């Protein structure tokens, strides 16, 4: 039986209310995700994709509407409390890990969830080494290196491992491979696919790469002007190509899907 993991009901978010810069970033948006859904999200710059993620993770409160996670109303819950059940990766590999701390110290923080209580045991190190080896990035032999010395790809892989060490109810990926070179991006996407599938994590992934949007996950939504303008899954989605996706955008909005990072992808 399917179980609704995320339920977003008519949320609105306007920035700079009453100023000349007033901007409706998310407008009356509703979205339901079943447990284990992996939804890819595409849209032009300023479509409201990151704002949607900020609203879900509690960076700010929404102006109206409701957000439920695993049946619990989190609409008014502060960000740090939501963080216990929501993992998040950003575009910048520098966020999400502590640069001066070693790989094993970062993993210890992620594994213990209670901050610095106790010290890293032999068993902890064995577990970290095994999990790192699975990433295929050679990090298992550098456990005492400061995270700040890692490449962007290694760092995103480590951040992903940390964010899913205790699988969250929801994983939000905001263009987490956009700053990486194409080959490294592919590698991190493969790690993402495995991690999400193995742990049956419900995941939303924003990407500017139309091909990844179709290759990854089981559902694709397109956003524009703060709203969801297209939602594809099942056979309909199986038939989609990058071209038909771009045509769909034009059909619905009358404009061209344009994202400044699309050409880099
Ligand atoms: N904190 C903020 N204060 C004011 N305006 C904001 C803020 N965050 C986002 N906006 C505005 O809200 C709109 C949606 O921005 P958002 O970052 O959600 O877009 P996006 O779809 O993630 O775009 P991109 O593809 O460029 O990352 C934009 O017009 C943006 O300028
Ligand atoms: Mg964004």
């Amino acid at each position: 039986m399917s179980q609704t993991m995320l339920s977003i009901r008519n949320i609105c978010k306007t920035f700079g209310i009453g100023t000349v810069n007033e901007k409706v970033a998310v407008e009356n948006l509703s979205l339901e995700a079943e447990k284990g859904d992996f939804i890819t999200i595409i849209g032009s710059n300023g479509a409201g994709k990151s704002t949607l993620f900020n609203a879900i993770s509690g960076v700010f409160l929404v102006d109206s509407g409701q957000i439920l996670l695993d049946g619990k109303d989190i609409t008014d819950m502060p960000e740090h409390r939501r963080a216990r059940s929501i993992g998040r990766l950003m575009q910048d590999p520098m966020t999400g890990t502590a640069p001066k701390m070693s790989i094993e110290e970062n993993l210890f923080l992620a594994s213990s969830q209670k901050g610095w209580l106790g010290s890293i045991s032999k068993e902890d190190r064995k577990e970290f080494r095994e999990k790192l080896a699975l990433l295929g990035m050679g990090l298992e032999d550098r456990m005492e290196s400061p995270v700040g010395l890692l490449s962007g790809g290694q760092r995103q892989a480590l951040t992903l491992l940390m964010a899913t060490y205790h699988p969250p109810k929801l994983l939000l990926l905001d263009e987490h491979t956009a700053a990486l070179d194409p080959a490294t991006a592919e590698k991190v996407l493969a790690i993402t696919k495995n991690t999400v599938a193995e742990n049956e994590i419900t995941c939303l992934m924003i990407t500017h790469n139309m091909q990844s949007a179709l290759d990854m996950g089981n559902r694709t939504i397109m956003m524009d002007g703060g709203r969801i303008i297209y939602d594809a899954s099942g056979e309909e989605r199986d038939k989609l190509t990058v071209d038909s996706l771009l045509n769909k955008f034009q059909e619905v909005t009358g404009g061209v899907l344009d994202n400044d990072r699309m050409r880099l992808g």
Side-chain angles (χ1 to χ4, degrees):
M1 216 182 75
S2 63
Q3 173 197 351
T4 304
M5 185 51 85
L6 177 69
S7 185
I8 296 175
R9 301 178 183 161
N10 308 101
I11 60 165
C12 295
K13 181 68 195 178
T14 301
F15 292 108
I17 291 178
T19 71
V20 286
N21 297 319
E22 185 168 305
K23 171 78 199 169
V24 180
V26 168
E27 190 173 16
N28 207 25
L29 184 148
S30 297
L31 174 69
E32 298 243 321
E34 300 298 315
K35 185 175 185 332
D37 265 347
F38 187 159
I39 304 176
T40 59
I41 304 177
I42 54 174
S44 301
N45 295 122
K49 305 180 296 295
S50 297
T51 302
L52 170 64
F53 277 17
N54 287 335
I56 296 170
S57 50
V59 174
F60 45 67
L61 298 182
V62 291
D63 302 329
S64 56
Q66 256 189 325
I67 304 172
L68 280 78
L69 183 65
D70 200 12
K72 190 180 165 69
D73 191 333
I74 60 164
T75 314
D76 298 315
M77 189 186 276
E79 184 177 13
H80 71 273
R81 282 195 51 214
R82 296 189 208 193
R84 290 181 202 156
S85 350
I86 302 177
R88 190 167 184 187
L89 259 74
M90 317 290 258
Q91 185 179 332
D92 182 358
M94 298 306 176
T95 57
T97 45
K100 289 196 176 130
M101 283 165 53
S102 66
I103 293 177
E104 61 182 21
E105 286 167 342
N106 271 278
L107 281 172
F108 184 66
L109 277 183
S111 68
S112 71
Q113 290 184 313
K114 296 189 203 97
W116 280 109
L117 282 181
S119 56
I120 307 174
S121 67
K122 213 171 141 189
E123 289 72 38
D124 290 333
R125 283 204 175 85
K126 185 165 172 282
E127 189 174 293
F128 297 164
R129 175 176 276 274
E130 283 167 7
K131 286 186 184 278
L132 287 168
L134 289 176
L135 299 178
M137 291 248 170
L139 296 178
E140 64 277 17
D141 298 320
R142 302 178 57 184
M143 298 221 301
E144 287 169 30
S145 301
V147 166
L149 298 181
L150 302 182
S151 70
Q154 288 172 330
R155 207 152 158 175
Q156 286 302 64
L158 176 65
T159 309
L160 186 68
L161 175 56
M162 288 170 65
T164 56
Y165 205 97
H166 299 285
K169 287 184 192 289
L170 181 68
L171 180 64
L172 303 175
L173 307 171
D174 193 344
E175 303 200 45
H176 70 306
T177 61
L180 309 175
D181 65 82
T184 310
E186 279 305 315
K187 205 163 177 193
V188 173
L189 284 178
I191 295 170
T192 305
K193 208 171 191 168
N194 287 339
T195 307
V196 170
E198 267 166 30
N199 299 292
E200 292 173 57
I201 299 171
T202 310
C203 178
L204 307 186
M205 181 181 90
I206 298 171
T207 179
H208 64 276
N209 186 316
M210 300 296 125
Q211 195 60 58
S212 313
L214 294 176
D215 292 345
M216 305 274 294
N218 63 323
R219 186 173 158 197
T220 298
I221 65 176
M222 190 185 274
M223 285 185 66
D224 189 55
R227 288 172 296 128
I228 294 173
I229 57 164
Y230 182 55
D231 186 339
S233 57
E235 277 178 35
E236 179 183 353
R237 180 176 186 260
D238 292 342
K239 290 194 206 116
L240 286 175
T241 62
V242 170
D243 278 345
S244 63
L245 206 52
L246 294 175
N247 287 339
K248 194 82 203 170
F249 184 86
Q250 194 152 21
E251 196 183 299
V252 181
T253 67
V256 176
L257 177 56
D258 190 18
N259 191 301
D260 58 12
R261 289 182 292 282
M262 252 163 71
R263 267 158 245 102
L264 305 172

